Amino acid sequence: MPKVKTHSSCKKRFKRTATGKIKRSRAFRRHHAWAKSAKQIRDLRQNAYVDTTQIKKIDALMPYN
């Protein structure tokens, strides 16, 4: 069997934790900060975990992670 290629954008966007969860950064923090409250911007700094319904799809994109 040939090797499966890793999806390059997923390499940059997701990290696997020691417990097997997949960590991601939050969306909506790049532009239009003036339209968001300080609390919203502060909350967007925190990382989040990928939902359990999506883990199988991301595993397929990152086979060696």
Side-chain angles (χ1 to χ4, degrees), residues 29-58:
R29 43 178 307 206
R30 298 283 182 225
H31 308 287
H32 297 291
W34 51 267
K36 297 175 180 82
S37 66
K39 181 186 185 311
Q40 188 178 6
I41 293 169
R42 202 165 50 240
D43 289 343
L44 289 173
R45 279 189 222 135
Q46 306 301 317
N47 286 327
Y49 294 103
V50 172
D51 193 63
T52 53
T53 58
Q54 300 293 314
I55 287 179
K56 204 179 210 181
K57 289 181 180 179
I58 293 173

Side-chain angles (χ1 to χ4, degrees), residues 15-38:
K15 288 270 193 241
R16 188 173 293 278
T17 62
T19 57
K21 293 179 183 175
I22 299 175
K23 202 164 64 165
R24 65 172 175 84
S25 59
R26 297 204 184 254
F28 305 110
R29 43 178 307 206
R30 298 283 182 225
H31 308 287
H32 297 291
W34 51 267
K36 297 175 180 82
S37 66

